[in-house]
Amino acid sequence: MDFELSDEQQQLKSEVQRFAENEIIPVAKEYDREEKYPHDVIDQAAEMGLLAPQIPFDYGGAGYDVLDTAIIVEELFAADPGIGLCLCSTGFGTEAIIEFGTEEQKEEYLEPVARGEAISGAAISEPDTGSDVSSVSTRAEKDGDEWVINGNKMWITNGSIGDFFVVLCKTDPDAEGRYNGFSQIIVESDRDGFTADKITGKMGIRASDTAELILDNVRVPEENLVGTEGMGFLQQMQFFDETRTGVAAQGVGIAKGAAERALDYAQEREQFGRPIGDFQAIQHKLADMHTEAEAARNLTYKSAWSVDHADGQLTKLASMAKEFASRTAVKNANECVQIHGGSGYVDDFDAERFYRDAKITQIYEGTTEIQKMIIARELQGKGF
């Protein structure tokens, strides 16, 4: 077993670290306070090829695999989870187009995202539908050579700044079987009847744009259908192992960032005439934080490797990685605040922002409770 990153991966890691130190960390507090999308940072990231790294070379992307992408995500989130999510999410929804889209769709939608000229989104969740994806009620009905779409989507990343969205719809309400009759359809945000209402006041990841989408008789051409009509739900399920591994990498990044900031502060802050890092209580916290971050990283990397190599352990490992890494992120962020003491309770330091940002990793892409259900079902051979 070889746990070493390749020379290329080490170089990628170093380049992302430098970018994060120079372009993200200096402005992170500003974008968090103002709940503002970091367009300038996005433009700079596009020049480095950090946007939608999974898009293939043929369509202008970097063509990185899941492990490479996990390395990128970890370093961005270690710098700042809010801006990190903005950079990692510019290509949300493109996975479906890469895997199931037509050649025309790939050329039209993937290339602008890879160049940083367009932002995409995946519109799945609804006001009454979160973990139970099969309860999606947004309808798409055929009218001649067009789809007419009606419904609401909730908690959509990039919702008010996205250029197009891959929308999960019910296209055949009479289909037999709980998971049949759904389709994925591309909806451009400039279509008549499409409106987005930005959600503000979030606990964390405030730089990232989140919105409710309202689709009122939105018409799109029939060629906007992605993949096979009626198979949208099953198509979507194929990406959860990859996307949950991605959230695990986010958790690893937050855990790392919190542990590093706690260590720095413990070595600088003095009480009773010496650094607080000399005290055993603080030493134990630091030891646990760095140990658990390393454990989360190894589990996440193994999950990423498994997705890339399809070794048959995908779903169980992805849910294990997502659950453990997100739990470690929350724990490390909490301990980071504790080590900072009163200074960790105000935004003069990064500790309080990491504390607020960490929690979302236990919620989106399947809650902690859902991950544990999946793990248990996989252990018993029951699947979803």
Side-chain angles (χ1 to χ4, degrees):
M1 299 176 67
D2 185 0
F3 288 92
E4 291 296 320
L5 298 179
S6 67
D7 291 342
E8 292 79 7
Q9 289 169 332
Q10 290 283 8
Q11 182 178 359
L12 175 63
K13 185 181 182 75
S14 297
E15 289 176 355
V16 177
Q17 285 177 335
R18 283 194 295 271
F19 175 84
E21 290 170 2
N22 293 331
E23 308 297 341
I24 296 178
I25 292 176
V27 299
K29 186 184 298 184
E30 170 192 349
Y31 284 105
D32 176 76
R33 282 177 171 173
E34 298 182 15
E35 299 187 48
K36 183 174 64 175
Y37 191 80
H39 288 286
D40 290 343
V41 183
I42 295 294
D43 291 341
Q44 294 160 348
E47 295 178 5
M48 285 191 62
L50 294 179
L51 303 183
Q54 77 279 7
I55 292 179
F57 289 108
D58 291 345
Y59 305 102
Y64 288 131
D65 62 19
V66 177
L67 179 54
D68 294 335
T69 302
I71 293 169
I72 294 171
V73 170
E74 176 184 340
E75 295 306 324
L76 293 175
F77 271 71
D80 178 64
I83 295 179
L85 180 59
C86 294
L87 270 63
C88 297
S89 68
T90 57
F92 271 10
T94 59
E95 300 90 354
I97 298 174
I98 293 169
E99 183 68 23
F100 302 108
T102 63
E103 189 62 29
E104 291 75 17
Q105 288 174 341
K106 292 175 183 179
E107 292 177 358
E108 180 176 357
Y109 296 105
L110 298 183
E111 293 181 9
V113 172
R115 292 193 300 265
E117 298 171 359
I119 295 172
S120 62
I124 302 173
S125 297
E126 298 181 355
D128 296 323
T129 303
S131 298
D132 184 9
V133 177
S134 64
S135 293
V136 162
S137 60
T138 295
R139 287 287 307 277
E141 298 180 338
K142 204 68 172 298
D143 183 18
D145 59 356
E146 293 182 314
W147 291 102
V148 182
I149 306 173
N150 285 280
N152 284 32
K153 294 294 183 178
M154 193 68 173
W155 312 117
I156 306 305
T157 299
N158 300 331
S160 72
I161 51 95
D163 296 284
F164 67 89
F165 299 85
V166 177
V167 181
L168 185 65
C169 310
K170 190 76 171 177
T171 49
D172 183 3
D174 298 322
E176 295 183 4
R178 183 177 183 181
Y179 306 118
N180 297 322
F182 297 92
S183 300
Q184 297 186 92
I185 300 175
I186 299 169
V187 178
E188 298 88 352
S189 59
D190 59 359
R191 296 277 178 182
D192 291 340
F194 180 101
T195 56
D197 185 11
K198 181 176 179 177
I199 297 170
T200 59
K202 293 183 298 184
M203 175 190 291
I205 56 168
R206 292 187 171 195
S208 176
D209 182 83
T210 310
E212 177 182 9
L213 305 185
I214 301 170
L215 300 106
D216 183 11
N217 287 322
V218 176
R219 290 178 172 269
V220 300
E222 60 183 355
E223 56 263 29
N224 279 28
L225 174 71
V226 179
T228 304
E229 181 179 343
M231 298 296 290
F233 178 90
L234 299 176
Q235 291 170 357
Q236 186 65 48
M237 291 300 104
Q238 294 186 37
F239 299 111
F240 276 137
D241 293 333
E242 179 177 343
T243 57
R244 285 170 178 161
T245 300
V247 176
Q250 296 177 16
V252 174
I254 294 171
K256 173 187 175 181
E260 289 175 343
R261 286 160 175 79
L263 177 59
D264 289 343
Y265 188 80
Q267 293 173 316
E268 296 169 0
R269 172 68 168 168
E270 291 190 358
Q271 289 289 277
F272 306 103
R274 52 181 172 156
I276 63 173
D278 286 352
F279 297 107
Q280 188 180 65
I282 302 300
Q283 291 175 345
H284 286 186
K285 289 181 184 296
L286 294 172
D288 286 345
M289 292 170 74
H290 284 263
T291 298
E292 291 178 19
E294 183 66 24
R297 178 179 297 108
N298 278 282
L299 183 55
T300 298
Y301 283 11
K302 183 178 181 181
S303 177
W305 185 92
S306 295
V307 174
D308 286 331
H309 293 82
D311 72 348
Q313 301 185 70
L314 307 188
T315 298
K316 180 177 68 175
L317 267 178
S319 289
M320 285 178 169
K322 201 269 188 187
E323 192 284 320
F324 183 74
S326 62
R327 174 157 41 103
T328 302
V330 170
K331 180 179 179 181
N332 276 14
N334 178 64
E335 292 287 43
C336 183
V337 171
Q338 193 69 23
I339 289 173
H340 278 72
S343 296
Y345 204 70
V346 295
D347 67 0
D348 292 341
F349 292 84
D350 293 344
E352 66 86 30
R353 189 172 72 251
F354 272 70
Y355 183 81
R356 290 186 286 105
D357 289 345
K359 188 60 185 177
I360 192 61
T361 62
Q362 291 188 309
I363 298 173
Y364 58 20
E365 289 297 327
T367 63
T368 292
E369 292 76 14
I370 290 295
Q371 301 315 308
K372 291 182 177 181
M373 288 174 56
I374 292 170
I375 294 166
R377 288 175 178 175
E378 288 292 317
L379 290 171
Q380 298 176 78
K382 295 182 178 180
F384 73 84

